[in-house]
């Protein structure tokens, strides 16, 4: 062979061998790094208090209430959750003055839709609840409505009447997020869309407000609410992600 | 699936916003039946099928000792039917019905035939709605024409309620004859 061809051939072979060897080396190092990293997620019971309701109790004269929520992680993105609370609300307008008080219980599931990086433990979740409430209305006073005001004032009731033993059931769809602020301390925010399933009707009156559900509407059985929570997780065990 | 999650949040937020903003049930609409007034037709005593106008009809109610004319029946027009509001805080209401009312320059009543009627009943409060509250319905309504020497209202009032309570203004409740 000619000397020029031999040189070209030799240099090409050298380059090919060099490059293939270096590529091989890079592949090996990547595989090693992935194998050694294991991420653990915390599992345990998280207890939260609804501080939005506490704030409202101080700011709103007509309202006192509190809610405690708990959730327990079953799988990486699947939680069972429940809330228990009590509320007292005074509803007044020109013709009616009612105080409603009672307690409620909600139970359901939360599904985390957020993909946490590394060992972060935040949630953006959608959930479902079934709610039940037991409550009492105190109708403090009412005034008769008359479009003809010739004989004013109209009749106004003097004594308070109590409607007790009332119950209501509803289903709820929740959208929210929970963020880990410090070690095991979580802050949550959620909005709730509720559909009233059944309620006991008081005699010659109606349920203007249901604790846990909110105010009722004449035209629809849909209600809404929101929550602002602060909670702490009691870590029971850790599992691989 | 990823797109479904992105759509859920704005959809739920929209439903949430619509529900809390449309509060139509805080206003008591005119069409809602509330406390009814008593509807009385004035019929011809001699021909009791026909409505008969009472000329210059004045209706007076006594409020805290003062005689006040009922709006719509102030003695300057003829009327053949009456819509009388009843008291919701007492079980009886009285009106003075004046025919051919005449007034002096200071709007004092100086002429006309005055008849006194007493309406007695029992009341019941019925719940209407959140915005309207309660209405009163009137049961066992009885109209009594007080006898004086020259009544222009003749005969006995005719009760059209059929023992039902007065709870709406859809039909005439009583007939009076003159």
């Amino acid at each position: 062979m000619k000397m020029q061809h031999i040189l070209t051939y030799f240099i090409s072979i050298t380059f090919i061998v060099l490059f293939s060897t270096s590529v091989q080396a890079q592949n090996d190092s990547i595989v090693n790094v992935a194998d050694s990293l294991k991420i653990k997620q915390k599992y345990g019971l998280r207890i939260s208090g609804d501080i939005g309701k506490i704030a409202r109790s101080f700011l709103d004269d007509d309202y006192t209430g509190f809610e405690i929520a708990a959730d327990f992680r079953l799988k990486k993105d699947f939680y069972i959750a429940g809330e228990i609370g009590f509320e007292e609300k005074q509803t007044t307008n020109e013709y009616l003055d009612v105080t409603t008080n009672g307690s409620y219980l909600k139970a359901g599931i939360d599904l985390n839709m957020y993909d946490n990086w590394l060992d972060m433990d935040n949630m953006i979740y959608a959930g479902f609840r079934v709610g039940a409430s037991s409550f009492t209305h105190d109708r403090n006073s009412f005034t008769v409505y008359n479009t003809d005001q010739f004989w004013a004032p109209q009749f106004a009731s003097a004594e308070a009447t109590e409607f007790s033993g009332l119950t209501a059931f509803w289903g709820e769809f929740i959208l929210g997020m929970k963020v880990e602020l410090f070690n095991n301390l979580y802050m949550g925010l959620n909005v709730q869309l509720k559909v009233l399933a059944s309620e006991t009707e008081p005699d010659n009156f109606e349920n203007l407000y249901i604790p846990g559900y909110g105010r009722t509407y004449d035209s629809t059985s849909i209600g809404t609410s929101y929550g602002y929570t602060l909670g702490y997780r009691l870590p029971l065990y850790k599992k691989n992600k | 699936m990823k797109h479904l999650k992105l759509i859920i949040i704005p959809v739920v937020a929209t439903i949430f916003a619509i529900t809390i903003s449309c509060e139509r049930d805080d206003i008591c609409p005119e069409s809602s039946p509330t406390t009814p007034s008593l509807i009385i037709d004035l019929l011809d005593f001699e021909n009791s099928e026909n409505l008969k106008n009472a000329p210059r009809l004045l209706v007076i109610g006594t409020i805290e000792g003062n005689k006040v004319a009922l709006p719509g029946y102030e003695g300057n027009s003829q009327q053949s039917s009456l819509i009388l509001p009843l008291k919701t805080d007492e079980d009886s209401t009285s009106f003075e019905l004046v025919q051919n009312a005449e007034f002096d320059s200071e709007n004092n009543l100086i002429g006309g035939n005055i008849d006194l009627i007493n309406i007695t009943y029992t009341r019941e409060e019925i719940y209407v709605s959140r915005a309207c509250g309660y209405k009163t319905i009137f049961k066992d309504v009885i109209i009594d024409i007080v006898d004086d020497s020259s009544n222009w209202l003749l005969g006995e009032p005719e009760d059209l309620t059929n023992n039902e309570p007065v709870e709406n203004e859809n039909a005439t409740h009583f007939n009076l004859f003159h």
Side-chain angles (χ1 to χ4, degrees), chain A residues 139 145 151 154 204 216 218, chain B residues 25 35 85 88 127 130 134:
Chain A
R139 189 188 62 201
Y145 190 94
W151 302 109
Q154 302 301 322
N204 200 21
T216 56
D218 286 345
Chain B
D25 42 349
T35 307
T88 54
Y127 184 76
R130 168 197 298 270
Y134 284 81

Side-chain angles (χ1 to χ4, degrees), chain A residues 6 22 81 86 96 107 128 149 151 159 168 179 182 200 208 241:
Chain A
I6 294 170
S22 59
F86 78 89
L96 284 173
F128 183 74
Q149 290 292 322
W151 302 109
E159 357 68 48
V179 174
F182 305 107
T200 49
L208 298 179
K241 197 168 176 180

Side-chain angles (χ1 to χ4, degrees), chain A residues 51-108:
Chain A
I51 50 181
K53 289 196 159 74
I54 295 180
R56 191 175 164 201
S57 300
F58 282 107
L59 298 170
D60 190 350
D61 283 335
D62 288 341
Y63 178 85
T64 310
F66 188 60
E67 179 183 289
I68 293 183
D71 64 334
F72 188 79
R73 190 176 198 170
L74 291 178
K75 292 190 188 162
K76 180 169 87 121
D77 288 329
F78 186 79
Y79 297 72
I80 52 167
E83 285 97 21
I84 187 168
F86 78 89
E87 283 185 339
E88 182 179 313
K89 172 103 171 65
Q90 185 168 20
T91 310
T92 46
N93 63 24
E94 283 172 53
Y95 306 104
L96 284 173
D97 182 342
V98 188
T99 305
T100 306
N101 64 67
S103 55
Y104 62 93
L105 193 65
K106 293 192 278 188

